Amino acid sequence: MLKHLKRVFIQFHPSDARATPARELLARVGNDKARKSNPDCVVDYKVVETAQIPRSFIELQFADNEQHKLYTADLKVADIVKLIEQKATEMELRGVMKDVNFDPYSSQSTGKAAAPAAAAAAAGGKR
């Protein structure tokens, strides 16, 4: 789960029922298996024990430096995990495309994406 993350920060109030996703995520990212997946990922948390209950949130910083701040009141831990997995898949796909010198936005790419468009243009726009 931590493979593509640089940093995870979780803040919650211990008696806030809306903080359940934050506590659950902390349990998931703090276990040995998750920590071994990326020992360089910094996992930090703050338990706020004040009279006024602040909003619980999670900050994620990915390896590409993209950051997300998620307030947990209306989320489930599955939603947060899904976001992490989707971003990880996107980063892996970008890495593969870079490895094969494929740029979907360039006609100069060594990939084959430009070929169907060129064939359609040569056929007068018909496919």
Side-chain angles (χ1 to χ4, degrees):
M1 175 182 291
L2 299 177
K3 182 178 178 184
H4 297 288
L5 287 163
K6 278 187 178 179
R7 180 177 173 271
V8 177
F9 177 77
I10 302 169
Q11 178 178 300
F12 61 92
H13 191 284
S15 65
D16 184 3
R18 298 167 300 174
T20 301
R23 291 190 298 270
E24 288 181 15
L25 187 70
L26 181 58
R28 291 187 187 198
V29 299
N31 70 44
D32 287 341
K33 183 179 178 183
R35 302 291 303 177
K36 287 179 183 175
S37 71
N38 183 0
D40 294 329
C41 179
V42 176
V43 176
D44 200 8
Y45 65 94
K46 181 177 181 182
V47 178
V48 180
E49 298 184 69
T50 58
Q52 185 177 7
I53 298 176
R55 292 174 70 184
S56 298
F57 66 88
I58 297 165
E59 291 178 345
L60 304 169
Q61 181 179 11
F62 290 90
D64 65 357
N65 289 320
E66 185 174 312
Q67 296 184 27
H68 294 265
K69 185 171 184 175
L70 309 169
Y71 291 96
T72 63
D74 296 324
L75 295 174
K76 296 180 179 165
V77 73
D79 300 328
I80 300 164
V81 170
K82 184 177 180 179
L83 180 136
I84 294 169
E85 290 172 348
Q86 286 175 335
K87 178 63 180 172
T89 300
E90 174 190 319
M91 291 172 65
E92 288 175 5
L93 182 58
R94 282 187 189 167
V96 168
M97 288 176 15
K98 185 177 180 181
D99 288 347
V100 298
N101 197 28
F102 178 76
D103 179 358
Y105 303 107
S106 170
S107 61
Q108 303 299 317
S109 176
T110 59
K112 303 292 184 199
K126 297 179 183 176
R127 286 191 183 192

